[in-house]
Amino acid sequence: MKVLLINGSPHEKGCTYTALSECAKTLQEAGVETEFFWIGRKPMQGCVACGGCTRIGKCVFQDAVNDFTEQARQADGFIFGSPVYYSGMNGSLMSFMDRAFFSGPRGKSNPFAFKPAAAVVSARRAGTTSALDQMNKYFLHGQMPVIASRYWNMVHGNTPEEVMRDEEGLQIMRQLGRNMAWFLKLKAAGESAGIPLPEQEETRIATNFIR
Ligand SMILES: Cc1cc2nc3c(=O)[nH]c(=O)nc-3n(C[C@H](O)[C@H](O)[C@H](O)COP(=O)(O)O)c2cc1C
């Protein structure tokens, strides 16, 4: 069992990483493998809505997004971390997730559906809950069970040292790791007991408000 921890911050070892590392600790204690994926700090191309992924099964821009979706096919769960920028997730991670969640399921297998996911955010002071709302939307759209902790998944700090002083935030992260591990074990037990993944209707109905 493996959980991918995606660091959406431009800081490889900053506050977001510190929060994700606390989740990784309790996942590992519960026997779950963890792997970090840092999206890096190069300019992140946004989705240009070209529809190319529908034809070729991956994003037309060959960068960290396609590397990630390939790795994601082997993962059993995900925790996405973002610093809060103007009360939302940071822009690079938004472009990254737009493209990963749009193109990934058009590839050879869906890397996300029915795998548990959670978002964690790091802020100096405010805007955490709106950033979390935004990130959780990807999981809810993609049929991913969203894992909860004992509060909303946030830490506060401008530096990793400050995050390490946010005792409540760190506890929330540790509990999130345990809850994710528990869910993964339940899912595996269900699979070995013969409980199949839910059936999907073959044709996806897509309407808008005028037709
Ligand atoms: C462009 C920008 C916008 C930010 N907006 C907010 C904000 O709305 N609320 C807040 O509390 N902190 C804000 N911050 C501070 C970061 O969210 C905070 O320092 C975070 O913990 C950094 O995480 P990192 O070390 O993983 O990058 C902002 C920082 C930047 C660079």
Side-chain angles (χ1 to χ4, degrees):
M1 271 175 212
K2 184 162 78 185
V3 169
L4 269 185
L5 302 139
I6 301 92
N7 178 9
S9 167
H11 302 123
E12 187 176 9
K13 298 278 161 76
C15 302
T16 306
Y17 171 82
T18 307
L20 289 171
S21 301
E22 201 70 9
C23 303
K25 258 192 230 167
T26 47
L27 280 163
Q28 287 161 18
E29 280 166 17
V32 176
E33 203 188 318
T34 58
E35 197 175 320
F36 278 84
F37 188 100
W38 181 44
I39 72 165
R41 56 195 314 173
K42 289 193 190 142
M44 183 61 69
Q45 172 69 52
C47 179
V48 295
C50 64
C53 54
T54 308
R55 268 186 293 107
I56 65 172
K58 60 182 184 175
C59 184
V60 297
F61 300 112
Q62 188 53 52
D63 61 8
V65 170
N66 285 339
D67 296 342
F68 168 69
T69 47
E70 274 315 302
Q71 280 190 40
R73 286 184 223 286
Q74 311 307 319
D76 302 293
F78 305 90
I79 303 182
F80 286 82
S82 180
V84 173
Y85 284 4
Y86 292 95
S87 291
M89 62 201 283
N90 88 73
S92 300
L93 183 62
M94 189 166 121
S95 293
F96 178 92
M97 289 181 76
D98 282 354
R99 288 173 47 221
F101 279 80
F102 202 78
S103 65
R106 289 166 173 78
K108 52 184 180 286
S109 62
N110 189 324
F112 305 120
F114 309 113
K115 296 180 184 175
V120 308
V121 295
S122 169
R124 184 186 67 81
R125 190 169 183 84
T128 43
T129 53
S130 42
L132 283 172
D133 283 348
Q134 192 184 6
M135 293 172 77
N136 284 330
K137 299 285 183 352
Y138 293 85
F139 315 142
L140 296 172
H141 183 284
Q143 303 194 74
M144 302 173 85
V146 179
I147 304 301
S149 185
R150 59 196 299 170
Y151 190 80
W152 299 295
N153 306 331
M154 61 180 75
V155 296
H156 286 97
N158 231 1
T159 61
E161 294 70 34
E162 284 179 1
V163 171
M164 291 310 288
R165 282 172 27 217
D166 178 4
E167 287 183 28
E168 182 173 350
L170 294 177
Q171 187 178 56
I172 294 164
M173 298 302 133
R174 290 193 296 276
Q175 193 59 45
L176 180 61
R178 290 187 200 103
N179 293 359
M180 170 76 76
W182 170 75
F183 182 88
L184 283 169
K185 288 173 191 175
L186 286 184
K187 191 180 165 205
E191 269 163 19
S192 45
I195 298 173
L197 291 175
E199 210 178 288
Q200 303 286 301
E201 293 181 28
E202 206 154 301
T203 314
R204 182 166 179 264
I205 300 174
T207 56
N208 63 25
F209 291 114
I210 56 162
R211 63 177 164 79

